[in-house]
Amino acid sequence: QSVQEALRSVQQLLKTAPAKPENGVAIFCGGGLHELVEPPEPITRPVYHCGKGCSQNFVAVAQNQK
């Protein structure tokens, strides 16, 4: 059920994304966070990570972009 909720959140985030961000879009959804980030460098490949451990890294990167 939590995966389905995350996917719904991602769908809503994508509706707010610019039509074609220059460097792509990184989406983090989990641990109470739902964030869409335009990375400073182009995304060259898709990455999917499910599980604990990436949230601290994501939060640090997201805070540096604000």
Side-chain angles (χ1 to χ4, degrees):
Q1 184 176 359
S2 60
V3 172
Q4 290 175 340
E5 290 174 15
L7 290 173
R8 280 192 288 276
S9 294
V10 168
Q11 286 177 325
Q12 293 302 313
L13 284 173
L14 288 173
K15 289 179 182 178
T16 67
K20 215 174 195 186
E22 186 176 326
N23 292 332
V25 173
I27 297 171
F28 178 83
C29 188
L33 295 172
H34 301 95
E35 195 81 33
L36 184 138
V37 178
E38 291 184 48
E41 296 180 17
I43 295 175
T44 59
R45 64 184 174 91
V47 176
Y48 173 80
H49 178 77
C50 184
K52 297 180 180 179
C54 68
S55 61
Q56 287 104 1
N57 291 336
F58 172 80
V59 170
V61 170
Q63 287 175 341
N64 286 332
Q65 290 189 359
K66 291 183 179 181

Short mmCIF file of all heavy atoms in Angstrom, two decimals:
data_model
loop_
_atom_site.label_atom_id
_atom_site.label_comp_id
_atom_site.label_asym_id
_atom_site.label_seq_id
_atom_site.Cartn_x
_atom_site.Cartn_y
_atom_site.Cartn_z
N GLN A 1 0.82 -1.20 0.00
CA GLN A 1 0.00 0.00 0.00
C GLN A 1 0.86 1.26 0.00
O GLN A 1 0.53 2.24 -0.66
CB GLN A 1 -0.94 -0.01 1.19
CG GLN A 1 -1.87 1.17 1.18
CD GLN A 1 -2.86 1.10 2.32
OE1 GLN A 1 -2.88 0.19 3.11
NE2 GLN A 1 -3.69 2.10 2.41
N SER A 2 1.98 1.27 0.72
CA SER A 2 2.81 2.47 0.75
C SER A 2 3.43 2.76 -0.62
O SER A 2 3.64 3.92 -0.97
CB SER A 2 3.90 2.35 1.81
OG SER A 2 4.73 1.25 1.55
N VAL A 3 3.70 1.71 -1.39
CA VAL A 3 4.24 1.92 -2.74
C VAL A 3 3.19 2.60 -3.61
O VAL A 3 3.50 3.53 -4.37
CB VAL A 3 4.71 0.59 -3.37
CG1 VAL A 3 5.07 0.78 -4.83
CG2 VAL A 3 5.89 0.03 -2.60
N GLN A 4 1.95 2.18 -3.50
CA GLN A 4 0.88 2.80 -4.28
C GLN A 4 0.70 4.27 -3.89
O GLN A 4 0.49 5.12 -4.75
CB GLN A 4 -0.43 2.04 -4.10
CG GLN A 4 -0.41 0.67 -4.76
CD GLN A 4 -1.68 -0.12 -4.47
OE1 GLN A 4 -2.40 0.18 -3.52
NE2 GLN A 4 -1.94 -1.11 -5.30
N GLU A 5 0.79 4.56 -2.61
CA GLU A 5 0.68 5.95 -2.16
C GLU A 5 1.85 6.77 -2.70
O GLU A 5 1.65 7.92 -3.14
CB GLU A 5 0.67 6.01 -0.63
CG GLU A 5 -0.60 5.47 -0.02
CD GLU A 5 -0.53 5.39 1.50
OE1 GLU A 5 0.37 6.02 2.09
OE2 GLU A 5 -1.37 4.71 2.08
N ALA A 6 3.03 6.20 -2.72
CA ALA A 6 4.20 6.90 -3.25
C ALA A 6 4.02 7.18 -4.73
O ALA A 6 4.34 8.27 -5.22
CB ALA A 6 5.46 6.09 -2.99
N LEU A 7 3.51 6.21 -5.47
CA LEU A 7 3.29 6.41 -6.91
C LEU A 7 2.27 7.51 -7.17
O LEU A 7 2.43 8.31 -8.09
CB LEU A 7 2.87 5.10 -7.57
CG LEU A 7 3.96 4.03 -7.67
CD1 LEU A 7 3.38 2.73 -8.18
CD2 LEU A 7 5.09 4.51 -8.55
N ARG A 8 1.23 7.56 -6.36
CA ARG A 8 0.24 8.64 -6.51
C ARG A 8 0.89 10.00 -6.23
O ARG A 8 0.64 10.98 -6.93
CB ARG A 8 -0.96 8.41 -5.58
CG ARG A 8 -1.94 7.40 -6.14
CD ARG A 8 -3.25 7.40 -5.36
NE ARG A 8 -3.10 6.80 -4.03
CZ ARG A 8 -3.17 5.48 -3.78
NH1 ARG A 8 -3.38 4.64 -4.76
NH2 ARG A 8 -3.05 5.03 -2.57
N SER A 9 1.74 10.05 -5.22
CA SER A 9 2.44 11.29 -4.91
C SER A 9 3.35 11.72 -6.06
O SER A 9 3.43 12.89 -6.40
CB SER A 9 3.28 11.14 -3.64
OG SER A 9 2.46 10.95 -2.52
N VAL A 10 4.03 10.76 -6.66
CA VAL A 10 4.91 11.05 -7.79
C VAL A 10 4.09 11.59 -8.96
O VAL A 10 4.50 12.56 -9.62
CB VAL A 10 5.71 9.79 -8.21
CG1 VAL A 10 6.39 9.99 -9.55
CG2 VAL A 10 6.73 9.45 -7.14
N GLN A 11 2.94 11.00 -9.22
CA GLN A 11 2.09 11.50 -10.30
C GLN A 11 1.71 12.95 -10.06
O GLN A 11 1.73 13.76 -10.99
CB GLN A 11 0.82 10.65 -10.41
CG GLN A 11 1.05 9.30 -11.02
CD GLN A 11 -0.22 8.46 -11.04
OE1 GLN A 11 -1.05 8.54 -10.13
NE2 GLN A 11 -0.37 7.66 -12.08
N GLN A 12 1.38 13.31 -8.83
CA GLN A 12 1.02 14.69 -8.51
C GLN A 12 2.22 15.61 -8.67
O GLN A 12 2.09 16.72 -9.19
CB GLN A 12 0.45 14.79 -7.09
CG GLN A 12 -0.88 14.10 -6.93
CD GLN A 12 -1.94 14.67 -7.87
OE1 GLN A 12 -2.10 15.88 -8.00
NE2 GLN A 12 -2.65 13.78 -8.54
N LEU A 13 3.40 15.16 -8.24
CA LEU A 13 4.61 15.98 -8.39
C LEU A 13 4.92 16.25 -9.86
O LEU A 13 5.31 17.35 -10.23
CB LEU A 13 5.81 15.28 -7.75
CG LEU A 13 5.89 15.32 -6.23
CD1 LEU A 13 7.02 14.44 -5.74
CD2 LEU A 13 6.08 16.75 -5.75
N LEU A 14 4.75 15.23 -10.69
CA LEU A 14 5.06 15.39 -12.11
C LEU A 14 4.15 16.40 -12.79
O LEU A 14 4.54 17.04 -13.76
CB LEU A 14 5.00 14.04 -12.83
CG LEU A 14 6.16 13.10 -12.50
CD1 LEU A 14 5.92 11.73 -13.11
CD2 LEU A 14 7.48 13.68 -12.99
N LYS A 15 2.94 16.56 -12.27
CA LYS A 15 2.02 17.55 -12.83
C LYS A 15 2.53 18.97 -12.60
O LYS A 15 2.17 19.88 -13.32
CB LYS A 15 0.63 17.40 -12.22
CG LYS A 15 -0.09 16.14 -12.68
CD LYS A 15 -1.44 16.01 -12.03
CE LYS A 15 -2.11 14.72 -12.46
NZ LYS A 15 -3.41 14.53 -11.79
N THR A 16 3.40 19.15 -11.60
CA THR A 16 3.92 20.48 -11.29
C THR A 16 5.27 20.73 -11.96
O THR A 16 5.79 21.84 -11.90
CB THR A 16 4.10 20.66 -9.77
OG1 THR A 16 5.14 19.78 -9.30
CG2 THR A 16 2.80 20.38 -9.03
N ALA A 17 5.85 19.72 -12.59
CA ALA A 17 7.18 19.84 -13.20
C ALA A 17 7.12 20.69 -14.46
O ALA A 17 6.14 20.67 -15.19
CB ALA A 17 7.73 18.46 -13.54
N PRO A 18 8.20 21.43 -14.71
CA PRO A 18 8.28 22.14 -15.99
C PRO A 18 8.20 21.13 -17.14
O PRO A 18 8.56 19.96 -16.97
CB PRO A 18 9.65 22.80 -15.96
CG PRO A 18 10.05 22.80 -14.52
CD PRO A 18 9.35 21.64 -13.88
N ALA A 19 7.74 21.58 -18.29
CA ALA A 19 7.52 20.67 -19.41
C ALA A 19 8.75 19.83 -19.75
O ALA A 19 8.65 18.63 -19.95
CB ALA A 19 7.06 21.45 -20.64
N LYS A 20 9.91 20.45 -19.82
CA LYS A 20 11.12 19.72 -20.18
C LYS A 20 12.32 20.35 -19.47
O LYS A 20 13.04 21.14 -20.06
CB LYS A 20 11.31 19.77 -21.69
CG LYS A 20 11.89 18.53 -22.27
CD LYS A 20 11.89 18.63 -23.79
CE LYS A 20 12.13 17.25 -24.35
NZ LYS A 20 12.30 17.28 -25.78
N PRO A 21 12.55 19.98 -18.22
CA PRO A 21 13.69 20.54 -17.51
C PRO A 21 15.00 20.20 -18.22
O PRO A 21 15.17 19.08 -18.71
CB PRO A 21 13.64 19.88 -16.13
CG PRO A 21 12.26 19.37 -16.00
CD PRO A 21 11.78 19.07 -17.38
N GLU A 22 15.89 21.16 -18.28
CA GLU A 22 17.14 20.99 -19.02
C GLU A 22 17.95 19.78 -18.56
O GLU A 22 18.49 19.04 -19.37
CB GLU A 22 17.98 22.26 -18.86
CG GLU A 22 19.24 22.26 -19.69
CD GLU A 22 19.97 23.57 -19.58
OE1 GLU A 22 19.33 24.62 -19.45
OE2 GLU A 22 21.21 23.52 -19.61
N ASN A 23 18.03 19.55 -17.25
CA ASN A 23 18.85 18.46 -16.72
C ASN A 23 18.04 17.25 -16.27
O ASN A 23 18.56 16.35 -15.64
CB ASN A 23 19.70 18.96 -15.56
CG ASN A 23 20.75 19.92 -16.00
OD1 ASN A 23 21.22 19.86 -17.13
ND2 ASN A 23 21.14 20.83 -15.13
N GLY A 24 16.76 17.25 -16.59
CA GLY A 24 15.92 16.14 -16.15
C GLY A 24 15.30 16.45 -14.79
O GLY A 24 15.35 17.58 -14.31
N VAL A 25 14.72 15.46 -14.17
CA VAL A 25 14.06 15.62 -12.89
C VAL A 25 14.42 14.45 -11.99
O VAL A 25 14.40 13.30 -12.43
CB VAL A 25 12.52 15.67 -13.06
CG1 VAL A 25 11.82 15.68 -11.73
CG2 VAL A 25 12.10 16.87 -13.86
N ALA A 26 14.74 14.76 -10.75
CA ALA A 26 14.95 13.73 -9.73
C ALA A 26 13.76 13.80 -8.78
O ALA A 26 13.35 14.88 -8.36
CB ALA A 26 16.25 13.98 -8.98
N ILE A 27 13.21 12.65 -8.47
CA ILE A 27 12.05 12.60 -7.58
C ILE A 27 12.39 11.72 -6.39
O ILE A 27 12.88 10.61 -6.54
CB ILE A 27 10.83 12.02 -8.30
CG1 ILE A 27 10.44 12.92 -9.46
CG2 ILE A 27 9.66 11.86 -7.34
CD1 ILE A 27 9.38 12.32 -10.37
N PHE A 28 12.13 12.25 -5.22
CA PHE A 28 12.29 11.48 -3.99
C PHE A 28 10.93 11.41 -3.33
O PHE A 28 10.26 12.43 -3.15
CB PHE A 28 13.29 12.14 -3.04
CG PHE A 28 13.43 11.39 -1.76
CD1 PHE A 28 14.26 10.29 -1.68
CD2 PHE A 28 12.71 11.77 -0.65
CE1 PHE A 28 14.39 9.59 -0.50
CE2 PHE A 28 12.82 11.06 0.53
CZ PHE A 28 13.67 9.98 0.60
N CYS A 29 10.54 10.22 -2.98
CA CYS A 29 9.25 10.04 -2.35
C CYS A 29 9.39 8.95 -1.30
O CYS A 29 9.58 7.78 -1.62
CB CYS A 29 8.22 9.65 -3.41
SG CYS A 29 6.55 9.60 -2.79
N GLY A 30 9.36 9.34 -0.06
CA GLY A 30 9.48 8.37 1.01
C GLY A 30 9.92 9.03 2.29
O GLY A 30 10.42 10.15 2.30
N GLY A 31 9.75 8.34 3.38
CA GLY A 31 10.16 8.86 4.66
C GLY A 31 9.47 10.16 5.03
O GLY A 31 10.02 10.99 5.74
N GLY A 32 8.27 10.35 4.53
CA GLY A 32 7.53 11.57 4.82
C GLY A 32 7.86 12.73 3.91
O GLY A 32 7.29 13.80 4.03
N LEU A 33 8.80 12.54 2.97
CA LEU A 33 9.17 13.58 2.03
C LEU A 33 8.65 13.26 0.64
O LEU A 33 8.65 12.11 0.23
CB LEU A 33 10.69 13.72 1.95
CG LEU A 33 11.41 14.18 3.20
CD1 LEU A 33 12.91 14.07 3.00
CD2 LEU A 33 11.02 15.61 3.53
N HIS A 34 8.21 14.28 -0.06
CA HIS A 34 7.80 14.16 -1.46
C HIS A 34 8.39 15.37 -2.16
O HIS A 34 7.93 16.48 -1.95
CB HIS A 34 6.28 14.13 -1.58
CG HIS A 34 5.67 13.01 -0.82
ND1 HIS A 34 5.19 13.15 0.46
CD2 HIS A 34 5.48 11.72 -1.14
CE1 HIS A 34 4.72 11.99 0.88
NE2 HIS A 34 4.89 11.11 -0.07
N GLU A 35 9.41 15.15 -2.94
CA GLU A 35 10.16 16.28 -3.49
C GLU A 35 10.53 16.04 -4.94
O GLU A 35 10.94 14.95 -5.33
CB GLU A 35 11.43 16.45 -2.65
CG GLU A 35 12.15 17.73 -2.84
CD GLU A 35 11.56 18.87 -2.04
OE1 GLU A 35 11.04 18.66 -0.94
OE2 GLU A 35 11.63 20.00 -2.55
N LEU A 36 10.39 17.08 -5.74
CA LEU A 36 10.82 17.06 -7.13
C LEU A 36 11.98 18.04 -7.24
O LEU A 36 11.86 19.19 -6.84
CB LEU A 36 9.65 17.52 -8.02
CG LEU A 36 9.91 17.47 -9.50
CD1 LEU A 36 8.69 16.91 -10.21
CD2 LEU A 36 10.26 18.82 -10.03
N VAL A 37 13.11 17.58 -7.75
CA VAL A 37 14.31 18.39 -7.80
C VAL A 37 14.86 18.40 -9.21
O VAL A 37 14.96 17.36 -9.85
CB VAL A 37 15.39 17.83 -6.83
CG1 VAL A 37 16.66 18.62 -6.90
CG2 VAL A 37 14.86 17.77 -5.40
N GLU A 38 15.22 19.60 -9.68
CA GLU A 38 15.93 19.70 -10.95
C GLU A 38 17.42 19.64 -10.62
O GLU A 38 17.95 20.55 -9.98
CB GLU A 38 15.58 20.99 -11.66
CG GLU A 38 14.15 21.02 -12.15
CD GLU A 38 13.85 22.26 -12.94
OE1 GLU A 38 14.65 22.62 -13.83
OE2 GLU A 38 12.83 22.89 -12.65
N PRO A 39 18.10 18.58 -11.02
CA PRO A 39 19.50 18.42 -10.65
C PRO A 39 20.41 19.43 -11.34
O PRO A 39 20.09 19.92 -12.42
CB PRO A 39 19.84 17.00 -11.10
CG PRO A 39 18.83 16.68 -12.14
CD PRO A 39 17.60 17.48 -11.81
N PRO A 40 21.55 19.75 -10.71
CA PRO A 40 22.47 20.72 -11.30
C PRO A 40 23.20 20.19 -12.52
O PRO A 40 23.69 20.95 -13.34
CB PRO A 40 23.45 21.02 -10.17
CG PRO A 40 23.37 19.82 -9.28
CD PRO A 40 21.98 19.30 -9.41
N GLU A 41 23.26 18.87 -12.65
CA GLU A 41 23.90 18.24 -13.81
C GLU A 41 22.89 17.31 -14.47
O GLU A 41 21.98 16.80 -13.81
CB GLU A 41 25.12 17.44 -13.39
CG GLU A 41 26.22 18.32 -12.80
CD GLU A 41 27.43 17.53 -12.37
OE1 GLU A 41 27.58 16.37 -12.82
OE2 GLU A 41 28.23 18.06 -11.59
N PRO A 42 23.03 17.07 -15.77
CA PRO A 42 22.08 16.20 -16.47
C PRO A 42 22.02 14.79 -15.88
O PRO A 42 23.04 14.23 -15.46
CB PRO A 42 22.61 16.15 -17.90
CG PRO A 42 23.45 17.36 -18.04
CD PRO A 42 24.04 17.62 -16.68
N ILE A 43 20.82 14.25 -15.86
CA ILE A 43 20.63 12.85 -15.46
C ILE A 43 20.89 12.01 -16.70
O ILE A 43 20.29 12.25 -17.75
CB ILE A 43 19.21 12.62 -14.93
CG1 ILE A 43 19.01 13.43 -13.65
CG2 ILE A 43 18.96 11.14 -14.69
CD1 ILE A 43 17.62 13.36 -13.10
N THR A 44 21.79 11.05 -16.59
CA THR A 44 22.18 10.27 -17.76
C THR A 44 21.53 8.90 -17.81
O THR A 44 21.55 8.24 -18.84
CB THR A 44 23.70 10.10 -17.82
OG1 THR A 44 24.14 9.46 -16.62
CG2 THR A 44 24.38 11.45 -17.96
N ARG A 45 20.96 8.46 -16.68
CA ARG A 45 20.31 7.16 -16.68
C ARG A 45 19.26 7.12 -15.57
O ARG A 45 19.40 7.81 -14.56
CB ARG A 45 21.31 6.04 -16.49
CG ARG A 45 22.02 6.06 -15.16
CD ARG A 45 23.08 4.96 -15.07
NE ARG A 45 23.83 5.10 -13.84
CZ ARG A 45 23.51 4.49 -12.70
NH1 ARG A 45 22.46 3.72 -12.62
NH2 ARG A 45 24.25 4.67 -11.63
N PRO A 46 18.22 6.32 -15.76
CA PRO A 46 17.22 6.21 -14.70
C PRO A 46 17.76 5.40 -13.53
O PRO A 46 18.54 4.47 -13.72
CB PRO A 46 16.05 5.49 -15.38
CG PRO A 46 16.65 4.78 -16.54
CD PRO A 46 17.87 5.56 -16.94
N VAL A 47 17.36 5.79 -12.33
CA VAL A 47 17.75 5.07 -11.12
C VAL A 47 16.52 4.93 -10.25
O VAL A 47 15.78 5.89 -10.04
CB VAL A 47 18.85 5.83 -10.34
CG1 VAL A 47 19.17 5.12 -9.04
CG2 VAL A 47 20.09 6.00 -11.18
N TYR A 48 16.32 3.74 -9.75
CA TYR A 48 15.22 3.49 -8.81
C TYR A 48 15.82 2.86 -7.57
O TYR A 48 16.60 1.91 -7.67
CB TYR A 48 14.19 2.55 -9.44
CG TYR A 48 13.12 2.13 -8.45
CD1 TYR A 48 12.06 2.97 -8.15
CD2 TYR A 48 13.18 0.90 -7.82
CE1 TYR A 48 11.10 2.60 -7.25
CE2 TYR A 48 12.21 0.52 -6.90
CZ TYR A 48 11.17 1.37 -6.63
OH TYR A 48 10.21 1.00 -5.74
N HIS A 49 15.51 3.41 -6.43
CA HIS A 49 16.00 2.85 -5.18
C HIS A 49 14.83 2.74 -4.23
O HIS A 49 14.09 3.70 -4.03
CB HIS A 49 17.08 3.75 -4.57
CG HIS A 49 17.58 3.24 -3.26
ND1 HIS A 49 18.47 2.20 -3.17
CD2 HIS A 49 17.30 3.62 -2.01
CE1 HIS A 49 18.72 1.96 -1.90
NE2 HIS A 49 18.02 2.82 -1.18
N CYS A 50 14.68 1.59 -3.66
CA CYS A 50 13.59 1.36 -2.71
C CYS A 50 14.22 0.84 -1.43
O CYS A 50 14.94 -0.15 -1.43
CB CYS A 50 12.61 0.34 -3.28
SG CYS A 50 11.19 0.08 -2.20
N GLY A 51 13.96 1.52 -0.36
CA GLY A 51 14.49 1.08 0.93
C GLY A 51 15.08 2.23 1.70
O GLY A 51 15.09 3.37 1.26
N LYS A 52 15.58 1.90 2.86
CA LYS A 52 16.15 2.93 3.74
C LYS A 52 17.58 3.24 3.31
O LYS A 52 18.22 2.46 2.63
CB LYS A 52 16.14 2.44 5.18
CG LYS A 52 14.74 2.20 5.71
CD LYS A 52 14.78 1.71 7.13
CE LYS A 52 13.34 1.48 7.61
NZ LYS A 52 13.30 0.99 8.97
N GLY A 53 18.06 4.38 3.74
CA GLY A 53 19.46 4.69 3.52
C GLY A 53 19.74 5.83 2.58
O GLY A 53 20.77 6.46 2.67
N CYS A 54 18.84 6.13 1.66
CA CYS A 54 19.14 7.22 0.72
C CYS A 54 18.52 8.53 1.17
O CYS A 54 18.83 9.57 0.62
CB CYS A 54 18.69 6.87 -0.69
SG CYS A 54 16.92 6.75 -0.86
N SER A 55 17.67 8.52 2.17
CA SER A 55 16.95 9.74 2.54
C SER A 55 17.87 10.83 3.08
O SER A 55 17.69 11.99 2.76
CB SER A 55 15.84 9.44 3.55
OG SER A 55 16.39 8.88 4.73
N GLN A 56 18.89 10.49 3.87
CA GLN A 56 19.77 11.53 4.40
C GLN A 56 20.53 12.21 3.26
O GLN A 56 20.69 13.42 3.25
CB GLN A 56 20.76 10.97 5.42
CG GLN A 56 20.12 10.62 6.73
CD GLN A 56 19.94 9.13 6.89
OE1 GLN A 56 20.30 8.35 6.02
NE2 GLN A 56 19.37 8.72 7.99
N ASN A 57 21.02 11.44 2.31
CA ASN A 57 21.74 12.02 1.18
C ASN A 57 20.83 12.92 0.37
O ASN A 57 21.23 13.99 -0.06
CB ASN A 57 22.32 10.93 0.26
CG ASN A 57 23.44 10.17 0.95
OD1 ASN A 57 24.08 10.67 1.85
ND2 ASN A 57 23.65 8.96 0.50
N PHE A 58 19.62 12.49 0.15
CA PHE A 58 18.68 13.28 -0.63
C PHE A 58 18.38 14.60 0.07
O PHE A 58 18.38 15.66 -0.55
CB PHE A 58 17.38 12.53 -0.88
CG PHE A 58 16.36 13.42 -1.52
CD1 PHE A 58 16.42 13.68 -2.87
CD2 PHE A 58 15.38 14.03 -0.76
CE1 PHE A 58 15.51 14.53 -3.46
CE2 PHE A 58 14.47 14.87 -1.35
CZ PHE A 58 14.53 15.12 -2.69
N VAL A 59 18.12 14.54 1.36
CA VAL A 59 17.79 15.75 2.10
C VAL A 59 18.94 16.76 2.02
O VAL A 59 18.72 17.94 1.80
CB VAL A 59 17.45 15.42 3.57
CG1 VAL A 59 17.33 16.68 4.41
CG2 VAL A 59 16.15 14.63 3.63
N ALA A 60 20.16 16.29 2.13
CA ALA A 60 21.32 17.19 2.05
C ALA A 60 21.39 17.85 0.67
O ALA A 60 21.61 19.06 0.56
CB ALA A 60 22.60 16.41 2.33
N VAL A 61 21.19 17.08 -0.38
CA VAL A 61 21.23 17.63 -1.74
C VAL A 61 20.08 18.61 -1.94
O VAL A 61 20.27 19.70 -2.48
CB VAL A 61 21.17 16.49 -2.79
CG1 VAL A 61 20.96 17.06 -4.18
CG2 VAL A 61 22.44 15.67 -2.73
N ALA A 62 18.89 18.25 -1.53
CA ALA A 62 17.72 19.11 -1.72
C ALA A 62 17.87 20.42 -0.97
O ALA A 62 17.51 21.48 -1.48
CB ALA A 62 16.45 18.39 -1.27
N GLN A 63 18.43 20.39 0.22
CA GLN A 63 18.59 21.61 1.01
C GLN A 63 19.62 22.54 0.34
O GLN A 63 19.48 23.75 0.42
CB GLN A 63 19.01 21.28 2.43
CG GLN A 63 17.86 20.70 3.23
CD GLN A 63 18.27 20.26 4.62
OE1 GLN A 63 19.44 20.06 4.91
NE2 GLN A 63 17.28 20.09 5.47
N ASN A 64 20.62 21.98 -0.30
CA ASN A 64 21.62 22.80 -0.96
C ASN A 64 21.06 23.51 -2.20
O ASN A 64 21.62 24.49 -2.65
CB ASN A 64 22.85 21.96 -1.36
CG ASN A 64 23.68 21.61 -0.16
OD1 ASN A 64 23.71 22.34 0.83
ND2 ASN A 64 24.36 20.49 -0.24
N GLN A 65 19.98 22.98 -2.77
CA GLN A 65 19.40 23.57 -3.98
C GLN A 65 18.43 24.68 -3.67
O GLN A 65 18.06 25.45 -4.54
CB GLN A 65 18.71 22.50 -4.82
CG GLN A 65 19.69 21.56 -5.45
CD GLN A 65 19.01 20.65 -6.45
OE1 GLN A 65 17.81 20.70 -6.66
NE2 GLN A 65 19.80 19.80 -7.08
N LYS A 66 17.99 24.80 -2.44
CA LYS A 66 16.98 25.81 -2.09
C LYS A 66 17.62 27.14 -1.79
O LYS A 66 18.72 27.30 -1.45
CB LYS A 66 16.15 25.34 -0.91
CG LYS A 66 15.27 24.17 -1.30
CD LYS A 66 14.39 23.74 -0.15
CE LYS A 66 13.50 22.60 -0.61
NZ LYS A 66 12.63 22.13 0.39
#
